[in-house]
Amino acid sequence: LWDVSNNKVFKILKGHTNSVKCILKFNDEILISGSYDNKILIWNLETFEILFKLEGHREFVRALIKIDDLRFASGANDHTIKIWTIKGENLKTFYGSSCFVLCFLNLENNIFMTGTGDGNIFIWDFEGEDKPINCLKGHTLPVWCLIK
């Protein structure tokens, strides 16, 4: 972690065994990291200790998004999206992505989108079926980011 006021590192968080690909500041007390080690770590930002180590993806974790005050989602190279509680419980797994998940966009009414490595954009319902509602095709390269 960096202190941008003096351009110096003030804390190194050790826990992953490979490169960190994504980070989510869940709130002022919780940080979540996803890595090429296929794991998600939930950190306490006051003590810098690992609260939970989540092992559910078969390949590396590329994207994280906050759903609400109790849940977040992860997307990975295994073509799945997983819904987790902040306590580390895996609530649901979504299947049906045509490629690895690169990014998320949280819309409204439990609807979210993912951009994938093959250029597709999928629309999902956090509370719905474990398959996408729709697929938007047209990009010829990966969809790295989505904006509202």
Side-chain angles (χ1 to χ4, degrees), residues 7-91:
N7 295 327
K8 294 187 179 185
V9 174
F10 77 89
K11 188 67 176 175
I12 296 174
L13 302 179
K14 295 183 180 180
H16 285 291
T17 58
N18 207 326
S19 299
V20 172
K21 180 62 181 162
C22 52
I23 294 176
L24 171 65
K25 185 178 180 192
F26 191 81
N27 58 35
D28 288 340
E29 298 156 359
I30 301 291
L31 181 80
I32 303 170
S33 57
S35 170
Y36 279 30
D37 63 9
N38 308 347
K39 294 176 182 58
I40 298 165
L41 299 182
I42 300 177
W43 303 84
N44 179 315
L45 280 176
E46 293 176 6
T47 64
F48 302 108
E49 294 176 351
I50 297 170
L51 298 174
F52 301 99
K53 185 180 287 190
L54 314 182
E55 299 182 21
H57 286 291
R58 295 184 320 274
E59 295 184 37
F60 54 87
V61 180
R62 287 184 169 265
L64 297 166
I65 192 169
K66 182 176 181 175
I67 299 170
D68 56 34
D69 289 339
L70 300 173
R71 301 177 299 162
F72 69 96
S74 60
N77 255 38
D78 60 10
H79 302 200
T80 65
I81 298 158
K82 294 187 176 290
I83 308 298
W84 306 88
T85 69
I86 199 62
K87 301 287 187 190
E89 180 186 359
N90 182 212
L91 298 174

Side-chain angles (χ1 to χ4, degrees), residues 98-111:
S98 58
C99 194
F100 45 88
V101 177
L102 294 171
C103 60
F104 284 104
L105 176 63
N106 201 352
L107 297 173
E108 49 193 47
N109 299 322
N110 293 313
I111 304 299

